[in-house]
Amino acid sequence: MLLAPYLQRHFNNWFRMDGPQVRTEVLSGITVALALVPEAVAFAFVAGVEPLVGLYAAFMVGLITSLFGGRPGMISGATGALAVVMVALVAEHGVQYLFATVVLMGIIQVIFGALRWGKFIRLVPQPVMMGFVNGLAIVIFLAQLEQFQIATPGGGHTWLQGADLALMLALVGLAMAIIWLLPRITRTVPAPLVAIIGVWAVVELLGLDTRNVGDLASIEGGLPTFAIPMVPFNMETLGIILPYALILAGIGLIESLLTLNLIDEITETRGRNSVECVAQGAANIVTGFFGGMGGCAMIGQSMINISSGARHRLSGVVAALALLSFILFGSALIEQIPLAALTGVMFMVVIGTFAWRTFQVMRKVPLSDALLIVVVTGVTVVEDLAVAVVVGIILASLVHSWRVSRLVSARTWRSDDERVKTYHLNGPVMFASTDKFRELFTPKTDPARVIADFTDSRVWDMSGVDALKSLAERYIREGKTLEFHGLSPDCAKRLGDYTRLVVRDEEHDPKYELFVDRDNPPGAPVGH
């Protein structure tokens, strides 16, 4: 019901692509697949599982979300944000508990999407979005620095030096130069793909000794097979996997929906948040039953895909199928790709992902927004995306509440005979502004009759209603008459015993409601 109308429309779009666009989609998908290999292997190592567990996840999550997701062109697979959470579970309970957790994670995500909660991603403010993008760009950059290290006999790592370092930098620079120059000559083929092939050709022709994908791990394997996770089906198991599943589901959806919004901005199109949630969940359910580590949207690979010109589902499908073919048939060839080529591609992704306009924006926006960008960027790098977004939303909410609290104001005047004083209010009366609201009134020095006119104000919540009640009590204690003008009928009736102080004007009074009437069907209008 939720997916049917969107799937029909999106699948129909496959047959509306012209030849050049199909070529772009296919070549872009192959480029993404090549970039996925070292990422999936690295994230598998982070999670403490075999490389094929990460590769299978990249294939299955990528294929299912590309076919059924709400954002054509977005690439999903195994990610570092999820891997760092999984490592503790795998270390303590084993990989079978990870598979069970991934299945439960997927179920939670499907429920989230079916309830259409994906729309709440709109609550993420723009400074948080900018901090998220910049933080992930820095994380991607730092992850590539591992390619400039080599293992030592003692199990540690040391930085490349001398000729090895010079060669690595030269090959990375060559890949970046190709990606920068080629679009100025032709856009017939994706520049990242040409860069990968070009660097590989240089290494082979000159016989250069440099690290390649095979130095990370072998990617050879067979088809993923169905298997129910081998864990006891009891409450004890649920107690172990549920906390991890909730965290993984949250991180996966946050990263996926923020990436979706970013691609929406770049392509000036609109994805379907709730559909994407369902697709991510379904993908993880399938992945858990087929020996994969689960996944979510990947901003780096998505940026490669979009910057290569891909805009349809075909690119993601090609990437997933190409990755599977590498595992089944092309492992020997793919393992010869120099890591320097893929590092150069990812460095260009970093340059393209980082919001360089941040430095201009921060000079123009309020200090609170500038600090919010910096904090979210820092937390994304130091902790993870989910923590950064939660911290960002909390800080943004506090800043917004503080700003709103200063907005409430009043103009006052007295009648000619000085017997009536009118307070004409502006701004919202809510939990954050009640103190400022109370300070506007002076019951002790006011005349016997006072009018509080809310025509240009709004009462937003029960804290606002309580502030009106408290104000009425203050004037009653002084033996004076208070009248409320310009309140909505719903607000007036919630004043209880003080409703008698409301003076109604059916023609001009606003009509808004403080609370949703839960007896109405979902989507019913609650105000004007």
Side-chain angles (χ1 to χ4, degrees), residues 99-161:
F99 297 150
T101 301
V102 171
V103 172
L104 182 56
M105 162 193 174
I107 294 172
I108 294 170
Q109 290 176 326
V110 169
I111 294 172
F112 192 96
L115 295 174
R116 299 181 181 272
W117 287 349
K119 60 188 176 184
F120 289 114
I121 199 66
R122 300 170 191 165
L123 298 177
V124 179
Q126 186 61 30
V128 176
M129 257 308 269
M130 191 171 289
F132 147 74
V133 171
N134 293 343
L136 281 188
I138 295 173
V139 169
I140 294 172
F141 171 78
L142 294 176
Q144 305 316 306
L145 297 182
E146 296 179 4
Q147 308 308 333
F148 292 86
Q149 297 178 336
I150 55 174
T152 61
H157 290 82
T158 184
W159 293 98
L160 293 174
Q161 297 179 357

Side-chain angles (χ1 to χ4, degrees), residues 324-362:
L324 179 63
S325 68
F326 297 161
I327 297 171
L328 298 178
F329 313 113
S331 60
L333 181 62
I334 300 303
E335 288 170 9
Q336 299 306 311
I337 294 176
L339 287 173
L342 299 174
T343 302
V345 171
M346 297 310 295
F347 276 161
M348 292 303 288
V349 168
V350 170
I351 294 173
T353 300
F354 193 90
W356 298 101
R357 63 189 179 92
T358 301
F359 301 108
Q360 293 180 335
V361 169
M362 290 180 66

